[in-house]
């Protein structure tokens, strides 16, 4: 441990000698990625899909896209290749920049030339290897460089939640993560080998495996873990001091408290960036020690007058934008999101999608109760989420295989409760008596009748409008069809993954929370469309979604959501808002100045 301490101490001393250059390097690359690269890629993806008249990409239409839109597939494939090159470039330019700073060679032109030479060594076959490699190193990437591009590559939370409900799937998931961890550690040195020794991926990967065999991976991993823990501890202490100071400054009269809060929050952001870059430089030193040696040259460094002037202008602009944005954040009016009970239950108080659970949940005063409807064999509508009744009702049949009378005789079991399966007509009448608004998800299967959507709108469209209910669906043909049949209906499009800009005929979006970003929400709001997040059961994520200004939150834990909203609305002091920024906001923002 003493040797690790000495390494961290020596690395920290070297960082402090050149902290301004390191900060400029990391922040510049980060800004280019977040303000240029990500918007451009999202715009291109949206444009390509729009030109191909494809409003969305999901498991429902991917085969159709491949079969009927080969040009779109080619364009998206080429975009993926370019994206891989950009991901490689950002790591290369950071690694090369750290080396140049240590060796006293500070120059933007030289760094661009070096990173360009590193890119040219890649061939088409290398990109396929890089794709797998970057997936493997995702768990360690943030320790070296916080990259928004890799942070987008993740398994949506609802899939993870589904896999944890089965012992078999959970075992598969655990084995998958263990294999990923082992491979990620063993291939950790491949990127430094590619950048510093200009090795192609097919050579760098086996060399990394060789350099980490015999347990030699453990010292590397241990040092990365210690650096991460140390950085986290220092940041927590620093943030605690800043929030405590603001508690005292909030007692100042008039605008002095606001002015001090703006400066305090700006200092929090600067400290956050400083510690992040410090962690990155230390981590790069740990990773590059087995594959490269740097010779520090601490002599005087000449910086041209033009470079100094450009830096002063850039820092001034960033500072002004930061102060302005912080002032807006600290004074903005907090907006309460709509509360939506997922499948009509709250804290497991009954059987999902049943009338007894609806009545219990209504006592918690949700703005909407979400439910699911399927078409039956006799073209009626039943309230049911699953496409098979076995798990809830013990009958190995799908809703389309039984008529309404047969379905409503069945009893569903869940959470220690029993309740009859309800027809949509009965559920709607019960909600009407309770004056409870509904969010109705229309489920579809290949076995639905040709006139299912027209039948649904004819029977329920006027009632839904009168009651101010809303409709949503994962099937875009339902969204488009209902808007055509009845333009006055409010119809949301459910999306399990977010990788394009909002661009559909829907009145809004119901988005899986783990890939929902502040950027997407803002763009939807500019189109006067609402955004709801699903399924949010953790109070920290609820706070995250509220500070990202979602219009609604779908949850299984309605009481927790009500408490989170009370806490959210009560946090009006500047100290509380700074604490909220530290704890909640940055984890899901596209860009924080």
């Amino acid at each position: 441990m003493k040797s690790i301490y000495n390494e961290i101490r020596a690395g920290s001393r070297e960082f402090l000698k050149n902290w301004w250059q390191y900060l400029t390097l990391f922040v510049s690359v980060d800004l280019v990625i977040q303000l240029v690269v990500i918007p451009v890629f999202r715009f291109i993806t949206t444009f390509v899909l729009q030109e191909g008249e494809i409003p969305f990409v999901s498991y429902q239409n991917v085969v159709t896209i491949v079969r009927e839109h080969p040009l779109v597939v080619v364009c998206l494939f080429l975009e993926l290749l370019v994206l891989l090159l950009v991901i490689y470039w950002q790591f290369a330019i950071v690694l090369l920049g750290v080396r140049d700073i240590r060796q006293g060679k500070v120059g933007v032109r030289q760094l661009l030339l070096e990173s360009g030479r590193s890119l040219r060594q890649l061939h088409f076959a290398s990109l396929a290897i890089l794709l797998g490699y970057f997936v493997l190193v995702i768990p360690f990437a943030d320790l070296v460089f916080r990259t928004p591009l890799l942070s987008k590559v993740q398994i949506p939370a609802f899939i993870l939640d589904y896999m944890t409900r089965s012992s078999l799937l959970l075992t598969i998931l655990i084995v998958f993560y263990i294999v990923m961890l082992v491979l990620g550690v063993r291939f950790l040195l491949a990127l430094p080998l590619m950048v510093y020794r200009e090795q192609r991926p097919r050579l760098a990967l086996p060399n990394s495996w060789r350099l980490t065999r015999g347990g030699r991976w453990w010292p590397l991993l241990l040092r990365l873990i210690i650096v991460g823990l140390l950085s986290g501890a220092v940041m927590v202490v620093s943030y605690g001091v800043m929030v405590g100071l603001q508690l005292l400054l909030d007692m100042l009269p008039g605008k002095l408290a606001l002015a001090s809060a703006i400066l305090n929050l700006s200092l929090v952001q600067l400290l956050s960036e400083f510690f992040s870059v410090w962690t990155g430089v230390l981590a790069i030193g740990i990773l590059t020690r087995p594959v490269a040696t740097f010779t520090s040259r601490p002599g005087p460094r000449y910086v041209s007058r033009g470079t100094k002037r450009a830096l002063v202008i850039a820092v001034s602009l960033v500072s002004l934008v930061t102060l302005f944005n912080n002032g807006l954040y600290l004074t903005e009016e907090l907006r309460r999101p709509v509360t939506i009970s997922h499948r009509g239950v709250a804290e497991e108080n009954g059987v999902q999608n049943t009338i007894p659970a609806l009545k219990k949940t209504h006592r918690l005063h949700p703005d909407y109760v979400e439910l699911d409807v399927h078409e039956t064999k006799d073209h009626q509508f039943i309230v049911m989420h699953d496409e098979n009744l076995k798990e809830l009702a013990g009958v190995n049949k799908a809703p389309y295989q039984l008529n309404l009378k047969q379905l409503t005789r069945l009893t569903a079991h869940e959470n220690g409760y029993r309740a009859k399966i309800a027809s949509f007509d009965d559920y709607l009448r019960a909600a009407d008596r309770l004056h409870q608004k509904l969010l109705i998800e229309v489920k579809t299967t290949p076995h639905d009748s040709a006139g299912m959507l027209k039948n649904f709108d004819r029977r329920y469209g006027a009632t839904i409008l009168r009651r101010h209910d809303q409709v949503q669906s994962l099937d875009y043909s339902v969204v488009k069809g209902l808007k055509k049949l009845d333009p006055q209906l409010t119809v949301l499009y459910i999306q399990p993954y977010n990788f394009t800009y909002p661009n559909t005929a829907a009145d809004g979006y119901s988005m899986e929370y783990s890939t929902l970003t502040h950027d997407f929400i803002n763009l939807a709001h500019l189109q006067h469309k609402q955004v709801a997040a699903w399924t949010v059961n953790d109070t920290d994520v609820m706070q995250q979604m509220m500070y990202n200004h979602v219009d609604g939150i779908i949850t299984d834990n309605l009481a927790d959501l009500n408490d989170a909203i009370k806490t959210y609305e009560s946090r009006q002091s500047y100290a509380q808002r700074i604490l909220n920024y530290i704890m909640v906001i940055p984890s899901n923002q596209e860009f924080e100045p």
Side-chain angles (χ1 to χ4, degrees):
M1 291 298 292
K2 186 176 180 180
S3 63
I4 297 176
Y5 167 76
N6 290 333
E7 288 177 25
I8 293 175
R9 186 179 178 184
S12 298
R13 280 201 305 265
E14 201 283 329
F15 168 77
L16 291 174
K17 289 178 185 176
N18 308 297
W19 69 271
W20 175 250
Q21 288 89 347
Y22 287 124
L23 199 63
T24 302
L25 171 67
F26 278 74
V27 171
S28 299
V29 175
D30 199 28
L31 289 177
V32 169
I33 294 297
Q34 298 210 44
L35 299 183
V36 179
V37 174
I38 289 177
V40 166
F41 273 100
R42 282 195 168 172
F43 172 79
I44 291 172
T45 303
T46 304
F47 176 79
V48 168
L49 294 176
Q50 189 174 22
E51 289 300 302
E53 298 183 348
I54 303 168
F56 66 99
V57 177
S58 77
Y59 67 88
Q60 293 180 314
N61 69 342
V62 66
V63 175
T64 302
I65 292 173
V66 171
R67 185 175 61 247
E68 299 180 6
H69 303 275
L71 185 58
V72 169
V73 175
V74 170
C75 290
L76 293 178
F77 178 73
L78 292 175
E79 186 183 359
L80 174 62
L81 296 184
V82 176
L83 179 61
L84 286 172
L85 290 174
V86 172
I87 293 173
Y88 177 82
W89 170 83
Q90 67 169 338
F91 279 108
I93 206 166
V94 167
L95 290 173
L96 291 167
V98 169
R99 184 192 66 183
D100 288 353
I101 291 171
R102 287 186 177 183
Q103 295 181 340
K105 300 182 295 184
V106 181
V108 175
R109 184 172 180 274
Q110 176 182 322
L111 186 56
L112 291 176
L113 288 173
E114 289 175 337
S115 61
R117 187 167 62 247
S118 182
L119 277 173
R120 284 195 296 273
Q121 71 176 332
L122 298 177
H123 295 284
F124 182 80
S126 304
L127 296 176
I129 300 174
L130 276 179
L131 177 60
Y133 174 72
F134 285 133
V135 170
L136 290 174
V137 301
I138 283 174
F140 311 100
D142 278 355
L143 279 176
V144 180
F145 175 53
R146 187 187 61 227
T147 164
L149 287 174
L150 281 184
S151 68
K152 307 299 178 190
V153 183
Q154 57 179 302
I155 302 175
F158 75 96
I159 295 178
L160 294 177
D161 178 65
Y162 174 77
M163 295 190 74
T164 57
R165 296 179 185 180
S166 162
S167 56
L168 176 60
L169 292 177
L170 179 59
T171 302
I172 293 173
L173 184 65
I174 292 171
V175 171
F176 170 76
Y177 274 116
I178 291 173
V179 172
M180 290 279 287
L181 179 63
V182 171
L183 293 177
V185 171
R186 295 299 302 273
F187 292 138
L188 206 52
L189 300 179
L191 189 59
L193 287 168
M194 284 185 262
V195 174
Y196 291 137
R197 297 189 181 177
E198 298 185 355
Q199 295 181 2
R200 291 180 182 174
R202 65 172 179 265
L203 180 61
L205 288 170
N207 281 341
S208 175
W209 189 272
R210 177 178 54 81
L211 289 169
T212 55
R213 68 187 175 189
R216 280 182 283 179
W217 57 270
W218 172 241
L220 289 174
L221 184 59
L222 179 62
R223 282 163 170 75
L224 289 177
I225 292 172
I226 290 175
V227 167
L229 293 175
L230 180 61
S231 173
V234 173
M235 291 175 71
V236 167
V237 172
S238 302
Y239 291 157
V241 171
M242 302 304 296
V243 172
L245 177 62
Q246 190 59 49
L247 284 170
L248 297 175
L249 294 174
D250 279 348
M251 300 178 186
L252 293 174
K255 299 292 185 180
L256 291 176
L258 174 60
S260 66
I262 293 173
L263 292 174
N264 207 345
L265 180 55
S266 301
L267 184 56
V268 165
Q269 293 165 337
L270 179 60
L271 286 173
S272 175
E273 199 64 45
F274 183 87
F275 289 131
S276 176
V277 175
W278 171 60
T279 304
V281 172
L282 289 179
I284 288 173
I286 292 167
L287 287 177
T288 56
R289 188 170 292 109
V291 301
T293 56
F294 299 145
T295 303
S296 296
R297 299 176 184 174
R301 303 178 185 210
Y302 172 74
V303 180
S304 68
R305 185 176 299 175
T307 302
K308 288 181 180 179
R309 189 181 296 116
L311 284 174
V312 169
I313 293 172
V315 171
S316 300
L317 286 174
V318 171
S319 299
L320 287 174
V321 171
T322 299
L323 291 171
F324 178 75
N325 284 345
N326 289 346
L328 289 179
Y329 165 71
L330 290 166
T331 56
E332 70 178 344
E333 183 179 353
L334 300 179
R335 296 185 296 175
R336 180 186 183 276
V338 168
T339 60
I340 306 167
S341 170
H342 186 225
R343 303 187 193 176
V345 296
E347 282 75 26
E348 300 182 348
N349 63 352
V351 182
Q352 60 177 279
N353 284 316
T354 61
I355 293 173
L358 166 69
K359 293 177 179 178
K360 288 183 182 178
T361 300
H362 174 71
R363 296 169 193 162
L364 294 172
H365 309 293
D367 295 301
Y368 287 87
V369 163
E370 188 261 354
L371 70 147
D372 309 274
V373 296
H374 274 280
E375 187 185 37
T376 66
K377 185 178 180 179
D378 53 348
H379 310 313
Q380 305 296 311
F381 292 91
I382 195 76
V383 182
M384 174 61 60
H385 174 273
D386 297 350
E387 292 190 14
N388 191 289
L389 299 160
K390 187 172 184 179
E391 184 174 345
L392 286 175
V395 177
N396 191 20
K397 294 283 187 180
Y400 70 85
Q401 293 177 307
L402 302 173
N403 60 41
L404 185 66
K405 184 175 290 186
Q406 290 171 317
L407 285 163
T408 53
R409 287 174 180 168
L410 297 176
T411 300
H413 308 257
E414 190 180 37
N415 301 324
Y417 294 92
R418 298 160 52 93
K420 290 290 184 182
I421 294 176
S423 69
F424 182 47
D425 291 89
D426 289 342
Y427 199 98
L428 197 57
R429 280 191 289 269
D432 219 15
R433 288 192 293 270
L434 296 169
H435 304 289
Q436 175 63 64
K437 289 191 288 187
L438 301 175
L439 174 59
I440 305 154
E441 179 177 346
V442 178
K443 294 283 189 180
T444 60
T445 73
H447 306 279
D448 293 331
S449 64
M452 183 272 287
L453 209 55
K454 288 184 180 179
N455 182 29
F456 178 86
D457 181 65
R458 178 180 55 80
R459 294 182 59 177
Y460 305 112
T463 303
I464 291 171
L465 282 172
R466 173 182 61 80
R467 289 174 32 80
H468 304 288
D469 294 332
Q470 297 184 354
V471 183
Q472 64 176 0
S473 183
L474 188 64
D475 188 338
Y476 187 68
S477 64
V478 170
V479 175
K480 191 166 60 173
L482 282 176
K483 290 303 296 180
K484 185 176 181 180
L485 288 168
D486 197 338
Q488 291 182 307
L489 283 178
T490 300
V491 186
L492 308 183
Y493 172 46
I494 302 172
Q495 289 188 298
Y497 205 88
N498 165 37
F499 63 95
T500 63
Y501 289 130
N503 181 42
T504 69
D507 297 297
Y509 300 90
S510 185
M511 182 77 70
E512 199 278 328
Y513 76 85
S514 64
T515 60
L516 178 59
T517 64
H518 187 259
D519 184 43
F520 183 93
I521 295 168
N522 280 344
L523 287 169
H525 287 170
L526 287 174
Q527 298 175 20
H528 307 290
K529 296 185 177 185
Q530 59 182 289
V531 179
W534 60 270
T535 302
V536 186
N537 294 328
D538 180 82
T539 53
D540 289 338
V541 180
M542 292 172 185
Q543 293 282 348
Q544 170 72 64
M545 293 298 106
M546 286 186 274
Y547 276 97
N548 277 350
H549 298 151
V550 294
D551 302 284
I553 295 178
I554 302 173
T555 182
D556 296 310
N557 301 331
L558 192 59
D560 288 346
L561 178 57
N562 289 336
D563 290 340
I565 290 174
K566 288 179 183 177
T567 302
Y568 171 74
E569 292 177 331
S570 67
R571 290 184 172 177
Q572 299 289 339
S573 74
Y574 297 130
Q576 284 283 2
R577 292 203 177 197
I578 291 175
L579 180 61
N580 293 339
Y581 177 91
I582 293 169
M583 299 295 293
V584 176
I585 291 182
S587 61
N588 203 27
Q589 293 278 38
E590 290 287 314
F591 168 62
E592 284 297 326

